[in-house]
Amino acid sequence: MPFTRRAFCTGLAALPLSRPAWAQETPLLTARPATVQLAPEGYPATEVWGYDGLLPGPQIRVPQGSRLSRRLVNGLQVPTSVHWHDIRIDNAMDGVAGLTQDPVPPGGRFDYAFELPDAGTYWYHAHTNSMEQVARGLSGALIVEESTPPDIDRDEVLMLNDWLLEPETGRFAGDFGNPMMRSHAGRLGNLLGINGRYDFSLEARQNERLRLRLINAANARIFMLRLEGMVGWTVALDGMPLAQPEPVSTEIIVAPAQRVDLIVDVTAEAGTPAALLSYADDDSWQALAEVTVTGPKSSAPRAVPAPLPPNPRMDVPGVAEAELREMRMEGGAMRGMASGRFEGQDMDFQKLVQRGQFWALSGQVGRGEAPFARYAQGETARIRWVNDTVFPHAMHLHGMHFRTVAADGSQGPMRDTLLIKPQESAEVAFVADNPGKWLLHCHMLGHAASGMTTWIEVA
Ligand SMILES: [Cu+2]
C-alpha cells in the first residue's frame, strides 16, 4: 500500500494522545543574572535578574482552559519563587515563599503546573523578597487567549515599568531596603519604559484597531496615561472582561500590578502624532510609547468594539448578607501609628521603625501567625479598606478576584488589585471559593515588605 498522506494521518491518530508523564518535558523558566541595555545608548548597561535572562521575561501565551507547566530553575545566588498573578490557581502553585511553598534555593528547581480557567491579561513575577527581585527584573507577561478572539488587527502587550538607575554606572540605584522609600511612596524609578525599552515605539496605520494589554510591572509607580491620535475603549481590568467596553474619556490609571486591556483605533493621519502619553514627575505629558502612523489601513472608522466574552464565575451573590470586615491601613511617613503587632509582640512605632517596619493592616504588621479572616469555602466575603495614611495603596488579593461595592450596594468591575487613595475607603466583595492560604497585601512592594501584608484562609 502506498504511503499516502491519508495513511500517515491515520497512523498518527492511532498513537496515544499524550506521552506518559515521565516522557513529558516541562519547559524551563530560569531566573538568572543578565546584562541588558536599559538606559539610553551611551550610558552603561545594567546587570539585571531576568527569567531566561530577559527583561521582561518571556511572554507566555496559552489558550483559556489549558494547563500551563514551567520548571523554575534558580540560577540566582538567592532563593526565589514565582507568583502567577492573579490566576485563580491551586494554592500550592501560588508561589508565595513562606506561605504556599518553601523558597527555591540557589541551584534548585520547582515545578509549577496549573489550569487557566480565565482568559485575560496576567503576569508572573518573583514572590520571594519581591521588593528587590521584581525591581531587578523578575517579571513577564502571561496572556490567556479567549477561544473567540475580539475583532482586532493586532494584539500588543505593553509591560509598563520604571527603573531606578545610577546614570554613571547603569546599576540599580541604592539599597532596596531604603527606609525613606519604604515609608513614603515606595521605590520610584528615574527611567520609565515599556517592555524593557525607554524608547518603546509601535508602527500602525490609520484606522488600524489594536488591542493594547497594559501591565504595570513597576514596584510602586502609578501610571497615569492618555491617548494621543487614538480613540479607545477599556474592555478588561485585571484580566476580567467588562460587561460593556467603556470609552476612554479621561486619564487611564494603572496602579502597580494592575492590568488594563484597551481596544484602540488609530485616528491620526500618516505622519501626524500618535502616542501613549504618561504623566511625568515634572507635571508634563511624555510619550511612553510613540506610535508612528504610516498609511491608512482603511478609509472609514469602525464601530464600537463588542465586549470580550465573560469569564466563568464572575458573579458575587449574597453581598448584603455577608459579614463586613474592616481593614484599616495605617502608618507611613507623616502619619505613623501609635503601635502595631509584629512577630507576635506589641511594639510602639519607634520600635517598629528600628525593625524596618512602617505600616500595619488593622494593627498587624506583616504576615502574622493568624489570618486576617477565615472563610468557609463558598462563603461571600466582604472587606472595607480604610486608608488612614497619606499615601495611595494598591491592595491585592491572591487566588480570587473581587468586585468593588458602592455605597448603594451596586457592584463595580471584577479586579484583583484596587487603588485606594489617601483618606479614602473602598469596599469589595468576593466569593471565597478557592481553598487555601491567600496573601492580601499592598502591591507597592516596599510597603508590602515593611508591614502591609496579611493573609486570609479559605477552608
Ligand atoms: Cu502601599
Side-chain angles (χ1 to χ4, degrees):
M1 181 179 153
F3 197 63
T4 62
R5 176 164 171 78
R6 185 178 172 81
F8 184 60
C9 291
T10 310
L12 267 185
L15 288 173
L17 281 175
S18 59
R19 294 193 290 170
W22 54 266
Q24 289 196 356
E25 283 179 27
T26 305
L28 304 182
L29 186 68
T30 304
R32 65 174 177 86
T35 305
V36 170
Q37 185 66 41
L38 275 180
E41 297 300 320
Y43 288 92
T46 302
E47 298 293 323
V48 306
W49 295 349
Y51 291 114
D52 296 350
L54 301 171
L55 188 157
Q59 188 186 114
I60 301 175
R61 263 188 191 262
V62 277
Q64 182 177 15
S66 66
R67 195 169 169 83
L68 177 66
S69 56
R70 285 290 183 279
R71 172 167 297 167
L72 170 69
V73 177
N74 186 0
L76 304 169
Q77 302 291 318
V78 293
T80 192
S81 61
V82 183
H83 171 54
W84 308 89
H85 188 121
D86 197 44
I87 303 297
R88 298 198 267 190
I89 202 169
D90 286 346
N91 193 241
M93 295 290 122
D94 200 43
V96 180
L99 188 70
T100 67
Q101 70 169 92
D102 290 331
V104 181
R109 282 147 191 263
F110 189 92
D111 285 350
Y112 293 96
F114 49 89
E115 310 286 335
L116 297 150
D118 302 310
T121 302
Y122 299 92
W123 63 306
Y124 61 95
H125 61 80
H127 220 304
T128 301
N129 187 18
S130 48
M131 172 181 65
E132 175 175 354
Q133 295 195 2
V134 174
R136 287 189 185 274
L138 287 171
S139 66
L142 169 53
I143 306 302
V144 187
E145 293 178 328
E146 299 90 5
S147 52
T148 311
D151 179 21
I152 51 162
D153 298 315
R154 256 161 63 204
D155 183 322
E156 297 281 350
V157 178
L158 307 184
M159 285 197 86
L160 318 178
N161 215 331
D162 67 347
W163 304 282
L164 186 57
L165 300 177
E166 291 172 359
E168 309 77 33
T169 63
R171 285 197 199 109
F172 287 114
D175 150 23
F176 292 92
N178 183 311
M180 188 69 179
M181 290 177 192
R182 289 165 69 148
S183 61
H184 288 71
R187 185 181 171 93
L188 297 170
N190 53 2
L191 182 68
L192 274 59
I194 292 180
N195 297 350
R197 295 208 58 98
Y198 74 91
D199 59 350
F200 180 84
S201 65
L202 285 173
E203 273 195 15
R205 287 175 289 167
Q206 192 184 10
N207 292 326
E208 195 169 5
R209 176 162 278 185
L210 313 178
R211 178 179 191 169
L212 302 181
R213 300 174 182 264
L214 310 180
I215 303 171
N216 185 349
N219 257 39
R221 180 173 297 275
I222 302 163
F223 282 92
M224 187 151 65
L225 306 169
R226 272 185 194 164
L227 300 175
E228 182 183 39
M230 299 182 274
V231 292
W233 296 264
T234 303
V235 293
L237 293 171
D238 298 347
M240 290 293 175
L242 300 185
Q244 288 301 325
E246 285 184 3
V248 175
S249 53
T250 56
E251 280 80 37
I252 305 155
I253 308 287
V254 198
Q258 287 186 328
R259 284 88 64 214
V260 177
D261 278 49
L262 302 174
I263 288 182
V264 301
D265 289 345
V266 177
T267 51
E269 288 174 23
T272 66
L276 183 65
L277 302 173
S278 174
Y279 183 76
D281 296 336
D282 67 357
D283 212 19
S284 64
W285 289 86
Q286 307 280 345
L288 193 60
E290 295 254 16
V291 181
T292 308
V293 184
T294 54
K297 163 86 180 166
S298 66
S299 53
R302 296 160 72 154
V304 173
L308 297 175
N311 279 324
R313 297 186 286 126
M314 287 186 70
D315 289 338
V316 184
V319 176
E321 300 79 42
E323 183 187 341
L324 178 63
R325 291 176 169 90
E326 187 176 282
M327 186 180 288
R328 265 174 305 115
M329 304 149 74
E330 311 159 282
M334 291 161 311
R335 178 62 59 98
M337 54 195 164
S339 65
R341 191 161 181 82
F342 181 58
E343 294 182 343
Q345 278 185 286
D346 291 318
M347 297 184 191
D348 62 25
F349 192 55
Q350 199 187 343
K351 270 206 174 125
L352 289 166
V353 167
Q354 284 164 4
R355 285 160 176 77
Q357 301 299 313
F358 303 98
W359 308 91
L361 294 170
S362 288
Q364 173 66 41
V365 178
R367 200 172 70 214
E369 286 294 304
F372 169 76
R374 286 196 169 89
Y375 298 102
Q377 194 176 342
E379 181 182 345
T380 294
R382 197 171 158 194
I383 294 175
R384 180 183 289 143
W385 283 307
V386 179
N387 186 352
D388 209 1
T389 80
V390 299
F391 295 94
H393 301 283
M395 295 304 288
H396 167 51
L397 173 65
H398 286 218
M400 287 154 286
H401 288 237
F402 50 72
R403 283 189 183 272
T404 53
V405 180
D408 66 1
S410 61
Q411 295 185 8
M414 191 162 229
R415 311 204 65 141
D416 61 53
T417 307
L418 187 67
L419 184 66
I420 303 156
K421 293 177 190 155
Q423 303 300 306
E424 290 193 0
S425 65
E427 201 180 304
V428 299
F430 57 96
V431 180
D433 55 4
N434 200 356
K437 295 176 174 179
W438 300 107
L439 215 60
L440 199 172
H441 64 99
C442 177
H443 223 286
M444 274 84 172
L445 296 173
H447 296 174
S450 51
M452 270 196 153
T453 296
T454 186
W455 60 289
I456 63 166
E457 184 161 30
V458 180

Short mmCIF file of all heavy atoms in Angstrom, two decimals, residues 3-32:
data_model
loop_
_atom_site.label_atom_id
_atom_site.label_comp_id
_atom_site.label_asym_id
_atom_site.label_seq_id
_atom_site.Cartn_x
_atom_site.Cartn_y
_atom_site.Cartn_z
N PHE A 3 2.38 4.91 0.59
CA PHE A 3 2.44 5.72 1.82
C PHE A 3 1.77 7.07 1.55
O PHE A 3 2.40 8.05 1.20
CB PHE A 3 3.89 5.90 2.24
CG PHE A 3 4.03 6.34 3.66
CD1 PHE A 3 3.60 5.53 4.70
CD2 PHE A 3 4.57 7.58 3.95
CE1 PHE A 3 3.71 5.95 6.00
CE2 PHE A 3 4.69 8.00 5.26
CZ PHE A 3 4.25 7.18 6.30
N THR A 4 0.44 7.09 1.60
CA THR A 4 -0.32 8.30 1.30
C THR A 4 -0.39 9.20 2.54
O THR A 4 -0.18 8.73 3.66
CB THR A 4 -1.74 7.96 0.87
OG1 THR A 4 -2.37 7.31 1.97
CG2 THR A 4 -1.76 7.07 -0.35
N ARG A 5 -0.73 10.44 2.30
CA ARG A 5 -0.90 11.38 3.41
C ARG A 5 -1.99 10.88 4.35
O ARG A 5 -1.87 10.96 5.57
CB ARG A 5 -1.24 12.77 2.87
CG ARG A 5 -1.52 13.75 3.97
CD ARG A 5 -1.49 15.18 3.53
NE ARG A 5 -1.98 16.01 4.63
CZ ARG A 5 -1.27 16.33 5.68
NH1 ARG A 5 -0.03 15.93 5.81
NH2 ARG A 5 -1.80 17.08 6.65
N ARG A 6 -3.06 10.32 3.72
CA ARG A 6 -4.18 9.83 4.50
C ARG A 6 -3.73 8.73 5.46
O ARG A 6 -4.02 8.76 6.66
CB ARG A 6 -5.26 9.32 3.56
CG ARG A 6 -6.50 8.90 4.28
CD ARG A 6 -7.57 8.44 3.31
NE ARG A 6 -8.69 7.87 4.06
CZ ARG A 6 -9.62 8.60 4.64
NH1 ARG A 6 -9.59 9.91 4.56
NH2 ARG A 6 -10.57 8.01 5.33
N ALA A 7 -2.93 7.81 4.92
CA ALA A 7 -2.45 6.70 5.76
C ALA A 7 -1.56 7.23 6.88
O ALA A 7 -1.64 6.79 8.02
CB ALA A 7 -1.67 5.71 4.89
N PHE A 8 -0.76 8.23 6.53
CA PHE A 8 0.15 8.81 7.52
C PHE A 8 -0.65 9.42 8.67
O PHE A 8 -0.38 9.18 9.85
CB PHE A 8 1.00 9.85 6.81
CG PHE A 8 2.05 10.45 7.69
CD1 PHE A 8 3.02 9.65 8.28
CD2 PHE A 8 2.08 11.82 7.94
CE1 PHE A 8 3.99 10.20 9.10
CE2 PHE A 8 3.04 12.36 8.75
CZ PHE A 8 4.01 11.57 9.33
N CYS A 9 -1.70 10.18 8.30
CA CYS A 9 -2.52 10.82 9.34
C CYS A 9 -3.21 9.78 10.20
O CYS A 9 -3.28 9.90 11.41
CB CYS A 9 -3.56 11.75 8.71
SG CYS A 9 -2.79 13.20 7.97
N THR A 10 -3.74 8.73 9.54
CA THR A 10 -4.43 7.67 10.29
C THR A 10 -3.45 7.04 11.28
O THR A 10 -3.77 6.79 12.43
CB THR A 10 -4.97 6.61 9.31
OG1 THR A 10 -5.69 7.31 8.31
CG2 THR A 10 -5.86 5.62 10.00
N GLY A 11 -2.23 6.83 10.78
CA GLY A 11 -1.21 6.24 11.64
C GLY A 11 -0.95 7.09 12.86
O GLY A 11 -0.87 6.59 13.98
N LEU A 12 -0.90 8.40 12.66
CA LEU A 12 -0.65 9.30 13.79
C LEU A 12 -1.78 9.23 14.81
O LEU A 12 -1.56 9.20 16.01
CB LEU A 12 -0.54 10.75 13.29
CG LEU A 12 0.85 11.27 12.96
CD1 LEU A 12 0.74 12.74 12.61
CD2 LEU A 12 1.80 11.09 14.15
N ALA A 13 -3.01 9.18 14.27
CA ALA A 13 -4.16 9.19 15.16
C ALA A 13 -4.18 7.95 16.05
O ALA A 13 -4.79 7.96 17.11
CB ALA A 13 -5.44 9.28 14.34
N ALA A 14 -3.52 6.89 15.60
CA ALA A 14 -3.51 5.66 16.39
C ALA A 14 -2.56 5.77 17.58
O ALA A 14 -2.62 4.97 18.50
CB ALA A 14 -3.09 4.49 15.50
N LEU A 15 -1.68 6.80 17.56
CA LEU A 15 -0.75 6.94 18.69
C LEU A 15 -1.51 7.41 19.94
O LEU A 15 -2.57 8.04 19.83
CB LEU A 15 0.31 7.99 18.35
CG LEU A 15 1.36 7.58 17.31
CD1 LEU A 15 2.22 8.79 16.96
CD2 LEU A 15 2.24 6.45 17.84
N PRO A 16 -1.00 7.10 21.13
CA PRO A 16 -1.65 7.63 22.32
C PRO A 16 -1.68 9.16 22.28
O PRO A 16 -0.77 9.78 21.72
CB PRO A 16 -0.78 7.13 23.48
CG PRO A 16 0.42 6.52 22.88
CD PRO A 16 0.18 6.30 21.42
N LEU A 17 -2.72 9.76 22.85
CA LEU A 17 -2.91 11.21 22.76
C LEU A 17 -1.81 11.97 23.49
O LEU A 17 -1.39 13.03 23.08
CB LEU A 17 -4.27 11.60 23.32
CG LEU A 17 -5.43 11.35 22.36
CD1 LEU A 17 -6.74 11.66 23.03
CD2 LEU A 17 -5.28 12.17 21.07
N SER A 18 -1.37 11.43 24.60
CA SER A 18 -0.30 12.13 25.30
C SER A 18 0.78 11.12 25.68
O SER A 18 0.48 9.95 25.90
CB SER A 18 -0.84 12.81 26.54
OG SER A 18 -1.42 11.85 27.38
N ARG A 19 1.99 11.63 25.74
CA ARG A 19 3.09 10.76 26.15
C ARG A 19 2.98 10.50 27.64
O ARG A 19 2.38 11.29 28.36
CB ARG A 19 4.41 11.44 25.82
CG ARG A 19 4.62 11.59 24.31
CD ARG A 19 6.04 11.97 24.01
NE ARG A 19 6.32 13.34 24.42
CZ ARG A 19 7.54 13.87 24.43
NH1 ARG A 19 8.57 13.14 24.10
NH2 ARG A 19 7.73 15.12 24.80
N PRO A 20 3.55 9.39 28.12
CA PRO A 20 3.49 9.15 29.57
C PRO A 20 4.20 10.27 30.33
O PRO A 20 5.08 10.95 29.78
CB PRO A 20 4.22 7.81 29.74
CG PRO A 20 4.95 7.58 28.46
CD PRO A 20 4.24 8.33 27.39
N ALA A 21 3.82 10.45 31.57
CA ALA A 21 4.31 11.58 32.36
C ALA A 21 5.83 11.65 32.38
O ALA A 21 6.41 12.73 32.27
CB ALA A 21 3.76 11.49 33.78
N TRP A 22 6.49 10.49 32.49
CA TRP A 22 7.94 10.51 32.60
C TRP A 22 8.61 11.00 31.33
O TRP A 22 9.75 11.47 31.34
CB TRP A 22 8.48 9.12 32.98
CG TRP A 22 8.04 8.00 32.06
CD1 TRP A 22 6.97 7.19 32.24
CD2 TRP A 22 8.62 7.62 30.81
NE1 TRP A 22 6.85 6.32 31.19
CE2 TRP A 22 7.86 6.56 30.30
CE3 TRP A 22 9.72 8.07 30.07
CZ2 TRP A 22 8.14 5.95 29.09
CZ3 TRP A 22 10.01 7.45 28.87
CH2 TRP A 22 9.22 6.40 28.38
N ALA A 23 7.88 10.91 30.20
CA ALA A 23 8.50 11.30 28.93
C ALA A 23 8.23 12.76 28.60
O ALA A 23 8.82 13.31 27.68
CB ALA A 23 7.96 10.42 27.81
N GLN A 24 7.32 13.41 29.34
CA GLN A 24 6.99 14.79 29.01
C GLN A 24 8.00 15.73 29.64
O GLN A 24 8.31 15.63 30.81
CB GLN A 24 5.59 15.13 29.52
CG GLN A 24 4.56 14.42 28.69
CD GLN A 24 3.18 14.98 28.88
OE1 GLN A 24 2.98 15.86 29.69
NE2 GLN A 24 2.24 14.46 28.14
N GLU A 25 8.48 16.63 28.83
CA GLU A 25 9.46 17.55 29.35
C GLU A 25 8.78 18.86 29.72
O GLU A 25 8.08 19.45 28.92
CB GLU A 25 10.54 17.81 28.30
CG GLU A 25 11.50 16.64 28.23
CD GLU A 25 12.57 16.85 27.19
OE1 GLU A 25 12.89 18.02 26.90
OE2 GLU A 25 13.07 15.84 26.68
N THR A 26 8.98 19.28 30.97
CA THR A 26 8.42 20.55 31.41
C THR A 26 9.31 21.66 30.90
O THR A 26 10.53 21.64 31.13
CB THR A 26 8.38 20.56 32.95
OG1 THR A 26 7.66 19.42 33.39
CG2 THR A 26 7.70 21.81 33.47
N PRO A 27 8.75 22.65 30.20
CA PRO A 27 9.60 23.75 29.76
C PRO A 27 10.23 24.47 30.96
O PRO A 27 9.60 24.59 32.01
CB PRO A 27 8.62 24.68 29.03
CG PRO A 27 7.41 23.89 28.77
CD PRO A 27 7.35 22.81 29.81
N LEU A 28 11.44 24.92 30.77
CA LEU A 28 12.16 25.57 31.87
C LEU A 28 11.87 27.07 31.88
O LEU A 28 11.59 27.68 30.85
CB LEU A 28 13.67 25.36 31.71
CG LEU A 28 14.17 23.92 31.61
CD1 LEU A 28 15.69 23.91 31.50
CD2 LEU A 28 13.71 23.09 32.80
N LEU A 29 11.93 27.62 33.07
CA LEU A 29 11.91 29.07 33.25
C LEU A 29 13.06 29.35 34.22
O LEU A 29 12.97 29.00 35.39
CB LEU A 29 10.57 29.53 33.83
CG LEU A 29 10.35 31.03 33.94
CD1 LEU A 29 10.23 31.68 32.56
CD2 LEU A 29 9.10 31.35 34.75
N THR A 30 14.13 29.92 33.70
CA THR A 30 15.35 30.07 34.51
C THR A 30 15.51 31.51 34.97
O THR A 30 15.60 32.42 34.14
CB THR A 30 16.58 29.64 33.67
OG1 THR A 30 16.35 28.31 33.21
CG2 THR A 30 17.84 29.67 34.51
N ALA A 31 15.52 31.69 36.28
CA ALA A 31 15.80 33.02 36.85
C ALA A 31 17.31 33.15 36.91
O ALA A 31 17.97 32.33 37.55
CB ALA A 31 15.19 33.14 38.23
N ARG A 32 17.86 34.16 36.23
CA ARG A 32 19.33 34.28 36.22
C ARG A 32 19.77 35.72 35.95
O ARG A 32 19.00 36.51 35.41
CB ARG A 32 19.93 33.32 35.20
CG ARG A 32 19.58 33.61 33.75
CD ARG A 32 20.38 32.67 32.84
NE ARG A 32 20.06 32.82 31.44
CZ ARG A 32 20.62 33.72 30.63
NH1 ARG A 32 21.50 34.59 31.10
NH2 ARG A 32 20.28 33.76 29.35
#
